[in-house]
């Protein structure tokens, strides 16, 4: 399944689930909940971190964190 880290700028997807990790609770608290639509805004010049929009606000995520979020 595609992850948030593999999305392209401007692409919108719906979060399906988060892979189990020590940062899963942090990501859920940040609003990255299953069923929410997420938009990939842009990535930094070397590709990490990335900027996404979810629930009306923007988040910056490291690629290893974004790779834990499965989208469809």
């Amino acid at each position: 399944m595609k992850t948030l880290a593999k999305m392209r700028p401007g692409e919108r997807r719906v979060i399906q689930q988060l892979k189990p990790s020590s940062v899963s609770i942090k990501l859920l608290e940040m609003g990255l909940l299953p069923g929410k639509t997420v938009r990939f805004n842009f990535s930094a010049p070397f590709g990490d971190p990335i900027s996404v929009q979810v629930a009306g606000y923007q988040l910056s995520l490291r690629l290893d964190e974004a790779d834990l979020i499965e989208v469809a």
Side-chain angles (χ1 to χ4, degrees):
M1 181 171 280
K2 191 169 189 173
T3 66
L4 186 56
K6 304 293 184 206
M7 290 174 59
R8 300 206 175 262
E11 189 176 357
R12 291 178 189 267
R13 297 277 181 150
V14 176
I15 297 171
Q16 297 299 304
Q17 65 179 357
L18 277 68
K19 296 176 187 174
S21 165
S22 61
V23 296
S24 296
I25 297 297
K26 178 183 116 180
L27 296 173
L28 290 168
E29 289 174 347
M30 292 169 67
L32 295 162
L33 302 167
K36 291 283 187 180
T37 299
V38 62
R39 180 182 187 272
F40 189 105
N41 292 331
F42 58 88
S43 59
F46 292 106
D48 193 12
I50 63 169
S51 171
V52 299
Q53 184 169 349
V54 63
Y57 57 92
Q58 295 188 19
L59 296 173
S60 180
L61 297 171
R62 290 180 278 170
L63 281 181
D64 60 340
E65 295 169 335
D67 202 39
L68 299 171
I69 303 165
E70 295 181 342
V71 295

